[in-house]
Amino acid sequence: MNEIVRRTLVMLSASFALGFAAGSMTAGPGSAALVALSGNASFAGLYVALLNLGAAAGAAVGGRAMDRWGRRPVLMSGYVLGAVGYAIAGSGVALDVLALFVAGILVFAAAMGIGGLTRIAAAEIFPPAERGRGIAWVQTSAIAGGVIGPLLLMLTEPLGHAIGRDALGIVWWLAPPLLIAGALTLRRAAEPMELAKEIERAHPHAAGTKLGTGAVRSRRLLVVGVIALAGSHAAMAAVMGVAGVAVVHAGHGASVLGTIMMLHFIGMYGLSRIVGHVTDRWGRRPTILSGLVLLGLGGAVVALIPNMGGFAAGILIVGLGWSFAYMGASVLLTDITVPSRRARILGRADLITQLTAAVVATSGGVWFAANGLAGLGLVAIAAVTLPFVAFLFVVEPLPGQYRTAQESAAT
């Protein structure tokens, strides 16, 4: 790894960690605030649904902008947009105005959708055989954000007592400084798209090129890759979307919510380096299938053990499964797309992914309002069934190398 790539990777990872700290800090309080402002418990999953709707738009627009103007300036603009969104949401909570809060959610969610494309920028600056490692750097950096965010959330409780404010209302104002810092961090990074083009020239026979030419080298793999992204993200949203309300409903406060969310984020990002190694060493297909199995297992734990202990264990396993499936699918989609159109295509994939997760998160909230935690994980199991079946038919003889069904039959 040369110095320019190393510096760029560190800057991408640091900015992503800061952005993720803001998002992880407000994930639980968001659903609780939405229910409190609306007075409707069936809105428990609507916060995550709104996050996914906003992120879908952000990913689609951001991906197109990245292919036109570059990854770095668009990511920096996204962080600034996110800071504005959190300020709007905080004003909605402070003024007890639901519409203002929802507007703020959609704005910072769009920024999150843009920030999610950081994983593509990290993957594409590595040779094809090391792309899992590239994404793992960014995903691992999120551990810092996944720890810092919930810790800040826990600190809002004593801070709220000290200044006479509600703890879950303070948290929104802690996010903007983190996001501004994330934008400033990227100033020293090189432009990832230019590095990606150099990689493409240096590896003219890169993984996937035998499948065809054009922006996407295999339409079939594009479809199953998007299905895997959507299924894994939706399964996670089904369970995580009600976390804030579930904890508050059980009579606990910010400290318990922060602990549970920290467990979830550790599951999502704690083993990222291992997941990246598995993706590069064993292949995208087995990585994705393993993740889908873990997502189903986590959903089963939540469904069968409807208490805080079962929910904490289940949400940890769900996070781990998401790590395998989401990272594996992201690397696969990077393999089969060309740099000049990559962000646009991945942005559209994220659009579909986030919209699917929005629907599933809303369904999870309706289920929770009617039945509580009992059986909730069945929604997650249903979400991973289709991608699991689809990937049983994917052929990957070597990591990152793919064949059509006809080619496999011929051999």
Side-chain angles (χ1 to χ4, degrees), residues 232-282:
S232 59
H233 206 60
M236 182 179 68
V239 177
M240 194 268 281
V242 302
V245 176
V247 171
V248 172
H249 188 265
H252 302 291
S255 59
V256 173
L257 177 57
T259 301
I260 287 179
M261 296 311 298
M262 188 183 298
L263 283 173
H264 178 57
F265 296 131
I266 288 173
M268 289 175 67
Y269 300 107
L271 298 181
S272 292
R273 297 299 291 273
I274 294 174
V275 177
H277 179 76
V278 169
T279 304
D280 289 337
R281 179 73 180 274
W282 303 107

Side-chain angles (χ1 to χ4, degrees), residues 360-376:
V360 173
T362 303
S363 301
V366 173
W367 180 291
F368 177 78
N371 306 292
L373 286 175
L376 176 66

Side-chain angles (χ1 to χ4, degrees), residues 15-90:
S15 63
F16 187 79
L18 289 165
F20 193 77
S24 65
M25 177 173 55
T26 55
S31 59
L34 196 57
V35 169
L37 290 172
S38 66
N40 191 337
S42 65
F43 285 2
L46 189 57
Y47 176 72
V48 172
L50 289 170
L51 282 184
N52 283 285
L53 286 172
V61 175
R64 194 175 187 88
M66 281 182 177
D67 282 343
R68 183 170 183 177
W69 291 301
R71 299 358 177 187
R72 190 170 69 105
V74 176
L75 286 172
M76 292 178 69
S77 300
Y79 286 117
V80 174
L81 178 68
V84 173
Y86 276 108
I88 295 172

Side-chain angles (χ1 to χ4, degrees), residues 27 47 79 99 107 171-172 177 192 211 227 266 281 283 290 294 331 378 398 404:
Y47 176 72
Y79 286 117
V107 172
V171 69
W172 305 97
L211 292 170
I227 288 173
I266 288 173
R281 179 73 180 274
S290 298
L294 285 169
V331 175
L378 296 176
L398 291 172
T404 64

Side-chain angles (χ1 to χ4, degrees), residues 1-283:
M1 189 191 307
N2 65 45
E3 182 58 34
I4 295 176
V5 171
R6 184 184 298 276
R7 184 179 73 246
T8 301
L9 190 59
V10 169
M11 297 299 101
L12 287 170
S13 300
S15 63
F16 187 79
L18 289 165
F20 193 77
S24 65
M25 177 173 55
T26 55
S31 59
L34 196 57
V35 169
L37 290 172
S38 66
N40 191 337
S42 65
F43 285 2
L46 189 57
Y47 176 72
V48 172
L50 289 170
L51 282 184
N52 283 285
L53 286 172
V61 175
R64 194 175 187 88
M66 281 182 177
D67 282 343
R68 183 170 183 177
W69 291 301
R71 299 358 177 187
R72 190 170 69 105
V74 176
L75 286 172
M76 292 178 69
S77 300
Y79 286 117
V80 174
L81 178 68
V84 173
Y86 276 108
I88 295 172
S91 299
V93 172
L95 299 173
D96 198 23
V97 178
L98 177 61
L100 193 61
F101 180 62
V102 170
I105 293 172
L106 292 173
V107 172
F108 71 70
M112 290 171 62
I114 296 171
L117 295 173
T118 302
R119 71 190 193 280
I120 306 306
E124 68 183 359
I125 64 177
F126 279 81
E130 301 176 25
R131 281 174 175 155
R133 176 187 173 195
I135 291 184
W137 266 79
V138 171
Q139 301 287 77
T140 301
S141 75
I143 297 173
V147 171
I148 292 170
L151 283 177
L152 289 173
L153 174 59
M154 293 178 196
L155 289 175
T156 60
E157 212 160 54
L159 179 61
H161 286 308
I163 64 176
R165 297 281 301 276
D166 177 49
L168 298 183
I170 296 172
V171 69
W172 305 97
W173 301 101
L174 302 181
L178 296 175
L179 293 168
I180 296 299
L184 294 175
T185 298
L186 284 174
R187 292 178 61 188
R188 296 188 61 243
E191 172 49 53
M193 186 164 65
E194 295 306 316
L195 298 177
K197 290 177 180 177
E198 293 178 12
I199 293 291
E200 194 82 359
R201 287 191 292 268
H203 297 81
H205 303 294
T209 53
K210 294 180 180 179
L211 292 170
T213 58
V216 180
R217 292 160 179 157
S218 171
R219 293 287 175 181
R220 183 177 64 88
L221 284 173
L222 175 64
V223 171
V224 295
V226 172
I227 288 173
L229 279 182
S232 59
H233 206 60
M236 182 179 68
V239 177
M240 194 268 281
V242 302
V245 176
V247 171
V248 172
H249 188 265
H252 302 291
S255 59
V256 173
L257 177 57
T259 301
I260 287 179
M261 296 311 298
M262 188 183 298
L263 283 173
H264 178 57
F265 296 131
I266 288 173
M268 289 175 67
Y269 300 107
L271 298 181
S272 292
R273 297 299 291 273
I274 294 174
V275 177
H277 179 76
V278 169
T279 304
D280 289 337
R281 179 73 180 274
W282 303 107

